[in-house]
Amino acid sequence: SQQGEEDPQALSIQEGENATMNCSYKTSINNLQWYRQNSGRGLVHLILIRSNEREKHSGRLRVTLDTSKKSSSLLITASRAADTASYFCATDRSNFGNEKLTFGTGTRLTIIP
Amino acid sequence: DTGVSQDPRHKITKRGQNVTFRCDPISEHNRLYWYRQTLGQGPEFLTYFQNEAQLEKSRLLSDRFSAERPKGSFSTLEIQRTEQGDSAMYLCASSLVIYEQFFGPGTRLTVL
């Protein structure tokens, strides 16, 4: 079963704009991870945020985590055409970390040149 | 290339046939995972190994599915008596115990 739900399901923006995707989940977590998937290909790991962290940055990516609301957001700044992909959040609910990931249904991001 | 590799990348088979997929993880990673992804959905967990021990299996993994990791290195996923509902992308990932999972390119299975 899918624990996470990404919002919106699809997003189209102009190149150079910022893109924000949200993820909500249902149960307590050890960590939350964001992945990118280009059409029909494997997943690329973007960022991992642990349950005791509130914000992390990696290049043009900013991830926040609010465990009280059971939600996370992924911000991509200064978007590029190459950012066009599906983005998934994945939660790890194991006690010690990294037993299995439960993925959401994804946000399909399209960057318009 | 030192990433996770999967073979074959594409497999077309007829209903009722058996298929086997292989995954080679990143060499120092002791955990290996199998997921299945259908069109428009996120990946769903199937099973995972720590070294050669299979530690968890999803209820999605029916009796027709079996996975092995005989020497704690590569893994195989076999599907017996394939059904059309088995058509999906089968993804393998590997990790060190407490770090992020790295995914391979996947094996796309089509059952006719």
Side-chain angles (χ1 to χ4, degrees):
Chain A
S1 63
Q2 315 254 258
Q3 153 151 267
E5 290 187 3
E6 283 91 342
D7 171 50
Q9 289 187 336
L11 177 63
S12 293
I13 61 172
Q14 293 291 134
E15 191 168 18
E17 294 181 338
N18 296 342
T20 300
M21 288 158 271
N22 302 297
C23 168
S24 60
Y25 57 91
K26 298 174 184 175
T27 62
S28 61
I29 61 172
N30 179 292
N31 65 73
L32 185 146
Q33 304 181 36
W34 284 90
Y35 286 84
R36 181 185 73 224
Q37 185 176 40
N38 293 93
S39 179
R41 299 184 183 179
L43 294 111
V44 174
H45 186 269
L46 297 177
I47 201 163
L48 180 153
I49 186 166
R50 302 193 187 281
S51 59
N52 61 353
E53 297 175 313
R54 292 297 167 257
E55 186 171 314
K56 286 190 81 169
H57 297 256
S58 177
R60 294 184 296 111
L61 307 180
R62 172 178 170 257
V63 168
T64 63
L65 179 64
D66 186 335
T67 53
S68 67
K69 295 181 179 179
K70 293 186 172 58
S71 67
S72 173
S73 67
L74 170 66
L75 168 67
I76 304 174
T77 60
S79 62
R80 306 168 181 170
D83 295 329
T84 293
S86 292
Y87 291 81
F88 294 92
C89 69
T91 54
D92 178 353
R93 293 177 280 172
S94 59
N95 291 329
F96 302 106
N98 233 357
E99 291 179 0
K100 66 181 180 183
L101 296 176
T102 303
F103 284 81
T105 52
T107 291
R108 180 172 297 185
L109 176 65
T110 302
I111 308 300
I112 303 167
Chain B
D1 189 340
T2 57
V4 178
S5 62
Q6 292 186 244
D7 183 68
R9 296 289 306 275
H10 302 273
K11 178 70 177 179
I12 300 173
T13 190
K14 294 182 178 179
R15 188 178 52 168
Q17 297 294 304
N18 298 345
V19 295
T20 300
F21 310 141
R22 176 181 171 122
C23 171
D24 287 90
I26 295 170
S27 60
E28 65 269 25
H29 286 185
N30 54 1
R31 287 198 171 175
L32 186 148
Y33 312 78
W34 285 99
Y35 293 82
R36 181 173 70 185
Q37 184 178 24
T38 54
L39 197 62
Q41 299 296 314
E44 293 180 291
F45 170 80
L46 293 178
T47 188
Y48 89 99
F49 295 82
Q50 179 159 319
N51 301 315
E52 65 275 11
Q54 188 173 18
L55 297 186
E56 186 173 348
K57 292 171 59 174
S58 164
R59 286 173 293 177
L60 293 174
L61 218 63
S62 74
D63 291 345
R64 297 185 297 105
F65 288 71
S66 63
E68 294 183 342
R69 194 182 183 198
K71 297 183 179 180
S73 57
F74 73 92
S75 175
T76 58
L77 177 68
E78 181 183 15
I79 309 174
Q80 297 182 326
R81 304 180 304 281
T82 52
E83 302 173 356
Q84 287 186 325
D86 297 332
S87 294
M89 176 80 86
Y90 290 84
L91 295 164
C92 175
S94 70
S95 74
L96 294 170
V97 172
I98 60 169
Y99 295 107
E100 57 269 21
Q101 297 180 22
F102 292 90
F103 282 77
T107 294
R108 183 172 296 281
L109 173 66
T110 302
V111 181
L112 301 176

